[in-house]
Amino acid sequence: MVSFTPFPTLETPRLVLRELVPADAETIFRIQSNPEVVRYFGRPAHATIADTEKLLGIVFDAQRDVTAIRWGLSLKDSGELAGTCGLWRWNKPHRYAEVGYELAPTFWGKGLMVEALRPILRYGFTQMDLHRVEATIDPDNHASQRVLEKLGFKRDALMRENWFYNGKFTDSAIYGLLEQEFLNEAR
């Protein structure tokens, strides 16, 4: 049986992937309140710190209930929180989960998300017994598409006009990565 206690801290050459704590709310608020960061999320930017605290409460509850896990991406050299990423919508009987992530614009284009997601995907496949990890993105989010493709994800489907936000219907691109694909590529 998987447990997120103690929290599984992971490391990469430039990052410490650590447990989020209530004190991270201010930094996460700055990230999640930026319209450019949430441009493709299909929901509004956080308007108040209370929005972020509510989100963190959901994260903490899901980790306690072992239904999802989210890491803070802290830079090794400064300890600064650059963003978060994790696995959620975990369907245990069918052994799949969805990956989600966001990064402060200061850190865009530096390969940090690909670097962070590799050990997180490895954790999902080896510790959570996942067979498949999915990502649902706006097809116009080319940066996220590049992140996923660098990690070996394949576009499985386009859900036409399945999401209604801000007065219009938008499409969703579904990407998938299978355990064996990831483990074969990671060798």
PDB file of all heavy atoms in Angstrom, residues 104-126:
ATOM      1  N   ALA A 104       6.532  29.483 -12.456  1.00  0.00           N
ATOM      2  CA  ALA A 104       6.601  30.943 -12.516  1.00  0.00           C
ATOM      3  C   ALA A 104       7.281  31.359 -13.824  1.00  0.00           C
ATOM      4  O   ALA A 104       8.253  30.727 -14.248  1.00  0.00           O
ATOM      5  CB  ALA A 104       7.377  31.488 -11.321  1.00  0.00           C
ATOM      6  N   PRO A 105       6.793  32.405 -14.479  1.00  0.00           N
ATOM      7  CA  PRO A 105       7.349  32.814 -15.773  1.00  0.00           C
ATOM      8  C   PRO A 105       8.857  33.064 -15.763  1.00  0.00           C
ATOM      9  O   PRO A 105       9.520  32.842 -16.778  1.00  0.00           O
ATOM     10  CB  PRO A 105       6.582  34.099 -16.102  1.00  0.00           C
ATOM     11  CG  PRO A 105       5.291  33.959 -15.382  1.00  0.00           C
ATOM     12  CD  PRO A 105       5.617  33.204 -14.114  1.00  0.00           C
ATOM     13  N   THR A 106       9.402  33.488 -14.641  1.00  0.00           N
ATOM     14  CA  THR A 106      10.846  33.711 -14.531  1.00  0.00           C
ATOM     15  C   THR A 106      11.630  32.471 -14.926  1.00  0.00           C
ATOM     16  O   THR A 106      12.767  32.576 -15.400  1.00  0.00           O
ATOM     17  CB  THR A 106      11.206  34.074 -13.069  1.00  0.00           C
ATOM     18  OG1 THR A 106      10.380  35.145 -12.663  1.00  0.00           O
ATOM     19  CG2 THR A 106      12.652  34.440 -12.918  1.00  0.00           C
ATOM     20  N   PHE A 107      11.037  31.301 -14.742  1.00  0.00           N
ATOM     21  CA  PHE A 107      11.742  30.038 -14.952  1.00  0.00           C
ATOM     22  C   PHE A 107      11.353  29.328 -16.248  1.00  0.00           C
ATOM     23  O   PHE A 107      11.819  28.227 -16.509  1.00  0.00           O
ATOM     24  CB  PHE A 107      11.512  29.118 -13.751  1.00  0.00           C
ATOM     25  CG  PHE A 107      11.933  29.749 -12.461  1.00  0.00           C
ATOM     26  CD1 PHE A 107      10.997  30.242 -11.573  1.00  0.00           C
ATOM     27  CD2 PHE A 107      13.275  29.896 -12.155  1.00  0.00           C
ATOM     28  CE1 PHE A 107      11.381  30.842 -10.386  1.00  0.00           C
ATOM     29  CE2 PHE A 107      13.677  30.506 -10.981  1.00  0.00           C
ATOM     30  CZ  PHE A 107      12.730  30.982 -10.095  1.00  0.00           C
ATOM     31  N   TRP A 108      10.509  29.960 -17.061  1.00  0.00           N
ATOM     32  CA  TRP A 108      10.102  29.357 -18.320  1.00  0.00           C
ATOM     33  C   TRP A 108      11.303  29.229 -19.266  1.00  0.00           C
ATOM     34  O   TRP A 108      12.212  30.054 -19.272  1.00  0.00           O
ATOM     35  CB  TRP A 108       9.024  30.188 -18.988  1.00  0.00           C
ATOM     36  CG  TRP A 108       7.679  30.158 -18.299  1.00  0.00           C
ATOM     37  CD1 TRP A 108       7.327  29.428 -17.213  1.00  0.00           C
ATOM     38  CD2 TRP A 108       6.534  30.907 -18.660  1.00  0.00           C
ATOM     39  NE1 TRP A 108       6.018  29.672 -16.875  1.00  0.00           N
ATOM     40  CE2 TRP A 108       5.503  30.582 -17.749  1.00  0.00           C
ATOM     41  CE3 TRP A 108       6.262  31.831 -19.659  1.00  0.00           C
ATOM     42  CZ2 TRP A 108       4.238  31.130 -17.821  1.00  0.00           C
ATOM     43  CZ3 TRP A 108       4.986  32.390 -19.729  1.00  0.00           C
ATOM     44  CH2 TRP A 108       3.983  32.033 -18.827  1.00  0.00           C
ATOM     45  N   GLY A 109      11.282  28.192 -20.066  1.00  0.00           N
ATOM     46  CA  GLY A 109      12.284  28.020 -21.111  1.00  0.00           C
ATOM     47  C   GLY A 109      13.642  27.531 -20.633  1.00  0.00           C
ATOM     48  O   GLY A 109      14.616  27.586 -21.384  1.00  0.00           O
ATOM     49  N   LYS A 110      13.737  27.041 -19.410  1.00  0.00           N
ATOM     50  CA  LYS A 110      15.020  26.589 -18.850  1.00  0.00           C
ATOM     51  C   LYS A 110      15.087  25.081 -18.651  1.00  0.00           C
ATOM     52  O   LYS A 110      16.054  24.573 -18.093  1.00  0.00           O
ATOM     53  CB  LYS A 110      15.284  27.303 -17.528  1.00  0.00           C
ATOM     54  CG  LYS A 110      15.367  28.804 -17.699  1.00  0.00           C
ATOM     55  CD  LYS A 110      15.597  29.544 -16.408  1.00  0.00           C
ATOM     56  CE  LYS A 110      15.473  31.009 -16.711  1.00  0.00           C
ATOM     57  NZ  LYS A 110      16.252  31.903 -16.061  1.00  0.00           N
ATOM     58  N   GLY A 111      14.045  24.372 -19.066  1.00  0.00           N
ATOM     59  CA  GLY A 111      14.035  22.916 -18.947  1.00  0.00           C
ATOM     60  C   GLY A 111      13.739  22.397 -17.552  1.00  0.00           C
ATOM     61  O   GLY A 111      13.881  21.198 -17.299  1.00  0.00           O
ATOM     62  N   LEU A 112      13.311  23.276 -16.651  1.00  0.00           N
ATOM     63  CA  LEU A 112      13.075  22.841 -15.269  1.00  0.00           C
ATOM     64  C   LEU A 112      11.902  21.878 -15.139  1.00  0.00           C
ATOM     65  O   LEU A 112      11.959  20.938 -14.345  1.00  0.00           O
ATOM     66  CB  LEU A 112      12.865  24.042 -14.352  1.00  0.00           C
ATOM     67  CG  LEU A 112      14.100  24.880 -14.039  1.00  0.00           C
ATOM     68  CD1 LEU A 112      13.719  26.100 -13.208  1.00  0.00           C
ATOM     69  CD2 LEU A 112      15.149  24.049 -13.315  1.00  0.00           C
ATOM     70  N   MET A 113      10.833  22.100 -15.920  1.00  0.00           N
ATOM     71  CA  MET A 113       9.670  21.227 -15.762  1.00  0.00           C
ATOM     72  C   MET A 113       9.969  19.824 -16.272  1.00  0.00           C
ATOM     73  O   MET A 113       9.585  18.836 -15.638  1.00  0.00           O
ATOM     74  CB  MET A 113       8.440  21.814 -16.452  1.00  0.00           C
ATOM     75  CG  MET A 113       7.165  21.123 -16.037  1.00  0.00           C
ATOM     76  SD  MET A 113       6.877  21.027 -14.242  1.00  0.00           S
ATOM     77  CE  MET A 113       6.562  22.729 -13.832  1.00  0.00           C
ATOM     78  N   VAL A 114      10.665  19.710 -17.378  1.00  0.00           N
ATOM     79  CA  VAL A 114      11.050  18.379 -17.862  1.00  0.00           C
ATOM     80  C   VAL A 114      11.941  17.702 -16.817  1.00  0.00           C
ATOM     81  O   VAL A 114      11.759  16.527 -16.488  1.00  0.00           O
ATOM     82  CB  VAL A 114      11.763  18.473 -19.233  1.00  0.00           C
ATOM     83  CG1 VAL A 114      12.363  17.119 -19.630  1.00  0.00           C
ATOM     84  CG2 VAL A 114      10.797  18.960 -20.305  1.00  0.00           C
ATOM     85  N   GLU A 115      12.876  18.455 -16.276  1.00  0.00           N
ATOM     86  CA  GLU A 115      13.779  17.921 -15.249  1.00  0.00           C
ATOM     87  C   GLU A 115      13.006  17.449 -14.020  1.00  0.00           C
ATOM     88  O   GLU A 115      13.310  16.399 -13.449  1.00  0.00           O
ATOM     89  CB  GLU A 115      14.788  18.999 -14.859  1.00  0.00           C
ATOM     90  CG  GLU A 115      15.822  18.561 -13.856  1.00  0.00           C
ATOM     91  CD  GLU A 115      16.848  19.641 -13.556  1.00  0.00           C
ATOM     92  OE1 GLU A 115      17.226  20.413 -14.463  1.00  0.00           O
ATOM     93  OE2 GLU A 115      17.288  19.714 -12.379  1.00  0.00           O
ATOM     94  N   ALA A 116      11.996  18.208 -13.618  1.00  0.00           N
ATOM     95  CA  ALA A 116      11.205  17.851 -12.432  1.00  0.00           C
ATOM     96  C   ALA A 116      10.298  16.652 -12.693  1.00  0.00           C
ATOM     97  O   ALA A 116      10.131  15.789 -11.821  1.00  0.00           O
ATOM     98  CB  ALA A 116      10.369  19.050 -11.994  1.00  0.00           C
ATOM     99  N   LEU A 117       9.714  16.609 -13.868  1.00  0.00           N
ATOM    100  CA  LEU A 117       8.729  15.561 -14.138  1.00  0.00           C
ATOM    101  C   LEU A 117       9.346  14.180 -14.323  1.00  0.00           C
ATOM    102  O   LEU A 117       8.683  13.168 -14.054  1.00  0.00           O
ATOM    103  CB  LEU A 117       7.870  15.936 -15.348  1.00  0.00           C
ATOM    104  CG  LEU A 117       6.834  17.024 -15.069  1.00  0.00           C
ATOM    105  CD1 LEU A 117       6.159  17.475 -16.350  1.00  0.00           C
ATOM    106  CD2 LEU A 117       5.811  16.563 -14.048  1.00  0.00           C
ATOM    107  N   ARG A 118      10.585  14.095 -14.741  1.00  0.00           N
ATOM    108  CA  ARG A 118      11.200  12.762 -14.910  1.00  0.00           C
ATOM    109  C   ARG A 118      11.163  11.944 -13.612  1.00  0.00           C
ATOM    110  O   ARG A 118      10.679  10.819 -13.611  1.00  0.00           O
ATOM    111  CB  ARG A 118      12.621  12.898 -15.450  1.00  0.00           C
ATOM    112  CG  ARG A 118      12.654  13.066 -16.941  1.00  0.00           C
ATOM    113  CD  ARG A 118      14.019  12.778 -17.555  1.00  0.00           C
ATOM    114  NE  ARG A 118      13.904  12.924 -18.988  1.00  0.00           N
ATOM    115  CZ  ARG A 118      14.313  13.991 -19.669  1.00  0.00           C
ATOM    116  NH1 ARG A 118      14.897  14.992 -19.054  1.00  0.00           N
ATOM    117  NH2 ARG A 118      14.152  14.041 -20.976  1.00  0.00           N
ATOM    118  N   PRO A 119      11.679  12.459 -12.489  1.00  0.00           N
ATOM    119  CA  PRO A 119      11.608  11.648 -11.269  1.00  0.00           C
ATOM    120  C   PRO A 119      10.187  11.488 -10.738  1.00  0.00           C
ATOM    121  O   PRO A 119       9.875  10.478 -10.096  1.00  0.00           O
ATOM    122  CB  PRO A 119      12.502  12.398 -10.280  1.00  0.00           C
ATOM    123  CG  PRO A 119      12.588  13.791 -10.798  1.00  0.00           C
ATOM    124  CD  PRO A 119      12.452  13.691 -12.290  1.00  0.00           C
ATOM    125  N   ILE A 120       9.319  12.441 -11.010  1.00  0.00           N
ATOM    126  CA  ILE A 120       7.930  12.308 -10.578  1.00  0.00           C
ATOM    127  C   ILE A 120       7.243  11.185 -11.356  1.00  0.00           C
ATOM    128  O   ILE A 120       6.523  10.364 -10.781  1.00  0.00           O
ATOM    129  CB  ILE A 120       7.195  13.655 -10.711  1.00  0.00           C
ATOM    130  CG1 ILE A 120       7.696  14.591  -9.603  1.00  0.00           C
ATOM    131  CG2 ILE A 120       5.684  13.484 -10.677  1.00  0.00           C
ATOM    132  CD1 ILE A 120       7.228  16.019  -9.722  1.00  0.00           C
ATOM    133  N   LEU A 121       7.476  11.135 -12.656  1.00  0.00           N
ATOM    134  CA  LEU A 121       6.914  10.034 -13.455  1.00  0.00           C
ATOM    135  C   LEU A 121       7.489   8.697 -13.006  1.00  0.00           C
ATOM    136  O   LEU A 121       6.758   7.715 -12.869  1.00  0.00           O
ATOM    137  CB  LEU A 121       7.186  10.272 -14.939  1.00  0.00           C
ATOM    138  CG  LEU A 121       6.415  11.437 -15.554  1.00  0.00           C
ATOM    139  CD1 LEU A 121       6.965  11.770 -16.925  1.00  0.00           C
ATOM    140  CD2 LEU A 121       4.925  11.147 -15.607  1.00  0.00           C
ATOM    141  N   ARG A 122       8.792   8.661 -12.749  1.00  0.00           N
ATOM    142  CA  ARG A 122       9.415   7.422 -12.262  1.00  0.00           C
ATOM    143  C   ARG A 122       8.754   7.005 -10.940  1.00  0.00           C
ATOM    144  O   ARG A 122       8.441   5.827 -10.732  1.00  0.00           O
ATOM    145  CB  ARG A 122      10.921   7.596 -12.070  1.00  0.00           C
ATOM    146  CG  ARG A 122      11.593   6.333 -11.525  1.00  0.00           C
ATOM    147  CD  ARG A 122      13.100   6.410 -11.553  1.00  0.00           C
ATOM    148  NE  ARG A 122      13.641   6.586 -12.878  1.00  0.00           N
ATOM    149  CZ  ARG A 122      13.714   5.646 -13.822  1.00  0.00           C
ATOM    150  NH1 ARG A 122      13.271   4.436 -13.559  1.00  0.00           N
ATOM    151  NH2 ARG A 122      14.218   5.894 -14.996  1.00  0.00           N
ATOM    152  N   TYR A 123       8.527   7.965 -10.052  1.00  0.00           N
ATOM    153  CA  TYR A 123       7.868   7.674  -8.786  1.00  0.00           C
ATOM    154  C   TYR A 123       6.464   7.101  -9.051  1.00  0.00           C
ATOM    155  O   TYR A 123       6.054   6.113  -8.442  1.00  0.00           O
ATOM    156  CB  TYR A 123       7.781   8.941  -7.927  1.00  0.00           C
ATOM    157  CG  TYR A 123       7.119   8.704  -6.597  1.00  0.00           C
ATOM    158  CD1 TYR A 123       7.860   8.280  -5.501  1.00  0.00           C
ATOM    159  CD2 TYR A 123       5.746   8.876  -6.436  1.00  0.00           C
ATOM    160  CE1 TYR A 123       7.256   8.031  -4.273  1.00  0.00           C
ATOM    161  CE2 TYR A 123       5.134   8.627  -5.215  1.00  0.00           C
ATOM    162  CZ  TYR A 123       5.889   8.210  -4.145  1.00  0.00           C
ATOM    163  OH  TYR A 123       5.292   7.959  -2.938  1.00  0.00           O
ATOM    164  N   GLY A 124       5.732   7.732  -9.943  1.00  0.00           N
ATOM    165  CA  GLY A 124       4.384   7.257 -10.246  1.00  0.00           C
ATOM    166  C   GLY A 124       4.368   5.844 -10.776  1.00  0.00           C
ATOM    167  O   GLY A 124       3.551   5.016 -10.357  1.00  0.00           O
ATOM    168  N   PHE A 125       5.278   5.544 -11.684  1.00  0.00           N
ATOM    169  CA  PHE A 125       5.305   4.204 -12.276  1.00  0.00           C
ATOM    170  C   PHE A 125       5.855   3.152 -11.311  1.00  0.00           C
ATOM    171  O   PHE A 125       5.354   2.033 -11.276  1.00  0.00           O
ATOM    172  CB  PHE A 125       6.114   4.212 -13.575  1.00  0.00           C
ATOM    173  CG  PHE A 125       5.420   4.934 -14.711  1.00  0.00           C
ATOM    174  CD1 PHE A 125       6.055   5.954 -15.395  1.00  0.00           C
ATOM    175  CD2 PHE A 125       4.132   4.588 -15.089  1.00  0.00           C
ATOM    176  CE1 PHE A 125       5.432   6.614 -16.444  1.00  0.00           C
ATOM    177  CE2 PHE A 125       3.485   5.245 -16.133  1.00  0.00           C
ATOM    178  CZ  PHE A 125       4.139   6.264 -16.808  1.00  0.00           C
ATOM    179  N   THR A 126       6.861   3.509 -10.531  1.00  0.00           N
ATOM    180  CA  THR A 126       7.495   2.496  -9.686  1.00  0.00           C
ATOM    181  C   THR A 126       6.913   2.404  -8.279  1.00  0.00           C
ATOM    182  O   THR A 126       6.894   1.326  -7.692  1.00  0.00           O
ATOM    183  CB  THR A 126       9.020   2.734  -9.578  1.00  0.00           C
ATOM    184  OG1 THR A 126       9.257   3.990  -8.956  1.00  0.00           O
ATOM    185  CG2 THR A 126       9.683   2.680 -10.954  1.00  0.00           C
TER     186      THR A 126
END
